[in-house]
Amino acid sequence: MTPEQYVQEKAAASGSSFYYAFLFLPKDRRAAITAFYAFCREIDDVVDEVTDPSVAASKLAWWQKEVSQAFAGQPSHPVMKALMPLTNSYKIEPRHLLAVIEGCQMDLEQNRYLDFPNLQRYCHLVAGIVGEVAARIFGQTDEATTAYAHKLGLAFQLTNIIRDVGEDSLRGRIYLPVNELQQFDVKAHEILKREYSDRFTALMRFQTERALGLYDEALAMLPSVDKRAQKPGLMMASIYRSLLREIAADNYQVLHQRVSLTPLRKFWLAWKTQAFGRVV
């Protein structure tokens, strides 16, 4: 299996909404975003699939070394072999990859966040930086597009947090800020035991409204000169906003299941954004 085949399979196997947006890109850009996304999946899988924290920490340390070696001209992992030939073309720097690793390291060291500003730091590393790199690959020409990409990344990550409340709690992680749990009088043990309540519904409605507001803010920040190039990000925004509406329509039943859209619906939303150039 070639490095290119490896990253393609890694990206496709995830079933992520992001994959559907990649399908509409030109070949070279699609190759770059697929390799970068496969890197992100590799790092994320270390934290989610390795049960021993010390082993996970060792694996992340290995990846930090691999990034340094790869940019020194000696990649050894298939993901880095696929990504490295494309880094110069799309201005992908070591700091970008190391930030993603740093964000995942936070998952090994921290499973609660006191308030939203603290959560934002985590989101910046695991999603904002990812958005920055993606915007470059998609064809960013205006420097202001970076701020849009970071804001959109934050909205994406908050959507993931809302969708995965129950799944994350099984790993002992509750990303919802502690002071907001207190504000709505929702106890951590209720989430861990998958106990629904009107208080939990109100908390999740609050989280959803904030995320939807961030999508609106991000889309308003996108410079008009880059709207065409950034269509893949707009496709993902359309899919993720539809997912949030689906979760709300289901009355935030996220503790015992992972709400998702069908592959056909994701493709349809991506196609509509590609065809009409706006988020639905």
Side-chain angles (χ1 to χ4, degrees):
M1 181 185 295
T2 67
E4 291 72 25
Q5 289 170 331
Y6 181 92
V7 296
Q8 178 67 32
E9 289 192 12
K10 187 74 177 180
S14 73
S16 169
S17 303
F18 293 81
Y19 180 71
Y20 293 87
F22 303 166
L23 298 175
F24 295 88
L25 283 167
K27 182 179 178 180
D28 288 349
R29 296 187 190 278
R30 186 168 69 248
I33 195 64
T34 299
F36 176 64
Y37 180 71
F39 168 83
C40 294
R41 292 305 319 162
E42 290 283 353
I43 304 306
D44 197 50
D45 286 349
V46 169
V47 176
D48 286 346
E49 297 180 1
V50 178
T51 56
D52 186 330
S54 64
V55 173
S58 295
K59 285 180 175 288
L60 291 181
W62 182 90
W63 273 105
Q64 288 174 321
K65 184 178 180 181
E66 171 69 4
V67 168
S68 297
Q69 289 181 338
F71 277 89
Q74 295 179 310
S76 63
H77 194 280
V79 163
M80 298 307 295
K81 289 181 178 180
L83 181 61
M84 290 312 300
L86 304 164
T87 53
N88 286 337
S89 297
Y90 301 108
K91 299 178 181 178
I92 303 171
E93 303 168 22
R95 67 176 178 89
H96 294 129
L97 307 188
L98 294 173
V100 173
I101 297 172
E102 182 185 349
C104 288
Q105 282 176 322
M106 290 180 69
D107 276 329
L108 300 180
E109 302 161 359
Q110 187 171 354
N111 55 21
R112 299 285 194 281
Y113 293 86
L114 292 178
D115 53 28
F116 188 60
N118 276 290
L119 179 62
Q120 280 183 287
R121 168 61 182 165
Y122 169 76
C123 293
H124 167 75
L125 293 170
V126 300
I129 292 293
V130 173
E132 178 181 329
V133 174
R136 294 181 180 202
I137 293 172
F138 295 156
Q140 172 181 352
T141 61
D142 191 318
E143 188 63 30
T145 297
T146 299
Y148 144 82
H150 277 271
K151 183 77 72 171
L152 189 61
L154 175 59
F156 286 150
Q157 190 62 27
L158 294 183
T159 302
N160 286 337
I161 288 170
I162 291 166
R163 178 195 63 195
D164 296 340
V165 170
E167 190 174 290
D168 288 333
S169 71
L170 294 177
R171 299 187 176 102
R173 301 182 202 138
I174 299 177
Y175 292 99
L176 304 174
V178 171
N179 68 335
E180 293 174 5
L181 291 172
Q182 294 171 340
Q183 178 184 341
F184 289 91
D185 193 29
V186 174
K187 305 295 189 294
H189 71 80
E190 294 175 329
I191 293 176
L192 295 171
K193 292 180 179 178
R194 303 186 175 190
E195 295 178 2
Y196 292 100
S197 66
D198 291 341
R199 292 170 287 108
F200 176 78
T201 299
L203 169 65
M204 298 310 293
R205 184 179 298 114
F206 173 80
Q207 303 294 326
T208 299
E209 289 173 356
R210 175 165 57 201
L212 289 171
L214 286 167
Y215 283 111
D216 291 338
E217 291 177 30
L219 296 174
M221 293 167 66
L222 177 59
S224 58
V225 68
D226 273 349
K227 285 185 176 178
R228 183 177 182 85
Q230 298 301 317
K231 271 188 180 182
L234 300 181
M235 293 177 194
M236 292 183 280
S238 182
I239 292 169
Y240 265 58
R241 288 215 302 191
S242 295
L243 174 62
L244 274 180
R245 296 190 187 107
E246 191 82 10
I247 290 170
D250 199 33
N251 203 32
Y252 307 100
Q253 298 291 297
V254 291
L255 291 178
H256 70 288
Q257 63 180 350
R258 185 180 190 182
V259 179
S260 62
L261 305 181
T262 65
L264 180 60
R265 188 172 175 192
K266 290 177 184 178
F267 183 82
W268 172 242
L269 289 166
W271 181 87
K272 283 203 296 185
T273 305
Q274 171 69 13
F276 301 112
R278 58 185 177 83
V279 178
V280 295

